[in-house]
Amino acid sequence: MKFLRGPSDYSQEPPRHPSLIINSQEPFNAEPSRSALISSSYVTPVDLFYKRNHGPVPIVDDIERFNISTFKPSKCQISNNIYSAKKKISNKISLTSTTYLLHIYQCAGNRRTAMSKVKTVKGVGWDVCAIGNAIWGGAKLADVLELVGIPNLASITPLGGKHVEFISVDKCKEENGGPYKASIPLIQATTSDSEVILAYEMNGEPLNRDHGYPLRVIVPGVIGARSVKWLDSINIIAEECQGFFMQKDYKMFPPKISWENIDWSTRRPQMDFPVQSVICSLEDVTQVKPGKITAHGYAVSGGGRGIERVDVSFDGGKTWVEASRYQKTGIPYVADDKSNDKWAWVLFEAEAEISENTEIVAKAVDIAANVQPENVEYIWNLRGILNTSWHRIHIHTEHLDN
């Protein structure tokens, strides 16, 4: 009997914060406003964290009897009930302590709406807030796998397993009513420094339903599509997951590819997200009185790469100033310092005097010298993922009362 199930309709959806901007009602997809995202705190409140769903939100019928299973490539069960949903690890992994990880979680479709303005793309429209910074609590996946016989730093098992597959219980139309699923390489799962965790807490509280209650995986530095919610089983498999969202979605194609000539097999599933920065203190078109203006936002890069700098221009890219960067207020941020939150976002701020209409532009550079592309046209793709082009704000000062 399943004690965690994916319903077939939307009649039992959880409550959500009324201030969220709804981009899709069924399935429910919503994001906070720009100002709410960065003004609340360095850690995004759960209620204001964006919601990304591909079907009705699953329901737990009996939390006391919920369990997940782990399987070897032969599909022989090697561990059952490896997780007790009462915020403790079961006796099979009782030596695994809770790990707390401050991690930015970003949808690959963040900023899709802007990309679609160039040429229509397919997918849920998102402004710039399909992202959030949360403290996730759970067990390191590497520790769990070691306790069921897979050593740390393993890239292949004796039976040929090279990938770890995560299977949910939700029902997705893209999977013909089947569950959402994704995978990561085994070496990533078994490397402690990758800090992949099986999470059951978010910001110090049990996960809520929208965010994967009672158990989900969190894969730091990788697009949100690989951090599967509502875990039902974990498989060790020889080839990467063959699910829809690994093989026919979330792949990066060049602008020339259309729905008429696409060949999904020619591209690998997207994992790390590129360097990104966004101004959240201003809307795309903002009217202001002449005077001082502040550009405040976030910057982030995948793979745990720190933010080396954020450049802001208040004259459309003619001249640039380097924004101040920080994670925690009052503590200087140095991109490669071990005291920083490796997987979290970096907030930035810059200000200038504005006297006429202008364009404010932001672009970030990470510690590998990766920089955002200047124009969205260069990275347009038919699924509208990974819009990391320079973020532009149009400022109008005319026709304002003194």
Side-chain angles (χ1 to χ4, degrees):
M1 177 180 178
K2 291 275 188 180
F3 302 104
L4 172 66
R5 59 184 173 86
S8 57
D9 60 48
Y10 295 91
S11 62
Q12 300 180 74
E13 292 288 279
R16 282 99 176 196
H17 198 281
S19 70
L20 291 174
I21 301 167
I22 300 173
N23 298 321
S24 168
Q25 188 68 52
E26 295 181 356
F28 189 84
N29 292 282
E31 62 188 306
S33 67
R34 297 183 182 192
S35 59
L37 180 65
I38 61 166
S39 65
S40 52
S41 69
Y42 174 54
V43 176
T44 310
V46 174
D47 286 349
L48 297 180
F49 208 99
Y50 82 98
K51 319 298 182 193
R52 178 65 172 119
N53 296 305
H54 292 87
V57 175
I59 297 169
V60 177
D61 290 317
D62 188 345
I63 192 62
E64 299 292 337
R65 302 176 71 181
F66 164 73
N67 65 79
I68 66 171
S69 301
T70 303
F71 296 84
K72 283 185 176 178
S74 63
K75 296 298 182 182
C76 295
Q77 188 170 339
I78 62 174
S79 177
N80 190 30
N81 194 24
I82 67 167
Y83 173 77
S84 168
K86 295 179 67 177
K87 298 204 308 185
K88 64 180 181 180
I89 305 301
S90 74
N91 58 2
K92 292 200 176 182
I93 52 173
S94 59
L95 298 179
T96 305
S97 60
T98 298
T99 294
Y100 292 97
L101 175 70
L102 186 55
H103 165 49
I104 194 73
Y105 183 63
Q106 179 177 211
C107 177
N110 196 27
R111 300 181 62 194
R112 178 179 283 140
T113 297
M115 183 176 282
S116 199
K117 290 178 180 178
V118 172
K119 183 180 177 182
T120 302
V121 300
K122 182 179 180 180
V124 175
W126 295 98
D127 187 37
V128 302
C129 299
I131 189 171
N133 207 38
I135 301 172
W136 306 94
K140 280 192 176 183
L141 179 59
D143 294 343
V144 174
L145 293 177
E146 186 175 28
L147 287 167
V148 296
I150 301 173
N152 286 339
L153 302 178
S155 59
I156 185 171
T157 68
L159 292 177
K162 296 180 182 179
H163 300 265
V164 181
E165 181 182 53
F166 309 102
I167 300 181
S168 180
V169 298
D170 61 342
K171 296 181 177 180
C172 307
K173 65 178 182 180
E174 295 89 347
E175 293 282 6
N176 297 316
Y180 190 102
K181 60 184 75 171
S183 66
I184 61 174
L186 181 64
I187 186 62
Q188 183 176 11
T190 59
T191 301
S192 292
D193 287 348
S194 295
E195 297 189 285
V196 180
I197 65 172
L198 300 178
Y200 42 80
E201 291 183 6
M202 182 180 182
N203 293 352
E205 299 291 335
L207 293 171
N208 70 17
R209 287 179 57 202
D210 266 321
H211 295 294
Y213 177 78
L215 186 70
R216 67 174 300 168
V217 65
I218 290 292
V219 186
V222 169
I223 63 171
R226 312 309 174 209
S227 291
V228 178
K229 300 185 284 187
W230 312 294
L231 281 177
D232 180 55
S233 62
I234 301 173
N235 299 326
I236 310 302
I237 55 179
E239 304 295 334
E240 67 188 14
C241 172
Q242 295 301 299
F244 178 90
F245 296 101
M246 287 289 289
Q247 300 305 323
K248 293 189 175 182
D249 203 354
Y250 299 117
K251 293 184 176 183
M252 188 67 170
F253 286 89
K256 68 178 182 180
I257 298 299
S258 69
W259 292 108
E260 286 71 38
N261 63 11
I262 190 170
D263 181 354
W264 289 100
S265 67
T266 61
R267 292 293 183 275
R268 59 181 292 274
Q270 184 66 38
M271 300 302 282
D272 287 10
F273 49 80
V275 63
Q276 171 81 284
S277 68
V278 166
I279 297 168
C280 291
S281 57
L282 302 165
E283 298 299 321
D284 285 344
V285 179
T286 300
Q287 287 191 326
V288 299
K289 291 182 178 181
K292 184 176 293 185
I293 190 169
T294 299
H296 180 202
Y298 65 80
V300 65
S301 189
R305 294 179 291 273
I307 300 299
E308 182 63 28
R309 70 175 195 270
V310 178
D311 300 325
V312 179
S313 173
F314 291 90
D315 56 11
K318 296 177 183 177
T319 62
W320 299 85
V321 297
E322 186 172 343
S324 61
R325 295 162 296 137
Y326 61 95
Q327 288 186 320
K328 301 175 181 68
T329 303
I331 300 177
Y333 173 83
V334 180
D336 57 353
D337 195 294
K338 291 184 178 179
S339 66
N340 293 331
D341 296 322
K342 176 181 179 180
W343 305 108
W345 61 14
V346 176
L347 302 178
F348 70 85
E349 189 170 307
E351 61 181 27
E353 293 287 333
I354 296 293
S355 61
E356 58 186 7
N357 294 351
T358 190
E359 182 182 58
I360 303 177
V361 186
K363 61 181 176 72
V365 182
D366 69 17
I367 59 172
N370 297 309
V371 64
Q372 294 173 246
E374 181 175 353
N375 295 310
V376 67
E377 290 87 353
Y378 302 157
I379 55 172
W380 183 94
N381 59 91
L382 73 177
R383 274 291 281 120
I385 66 170
L386 306 181
N387 180 5
T388 57
S389 59
W390 293 4
H391 192 222
R392 302 172 183 273
I393 302 293
H394 300 281
I395 299 296
H396 295 288
T397 59
E398 72 273 25
H399 308 306
L400 294 178
D401 296 332
N402 294 325

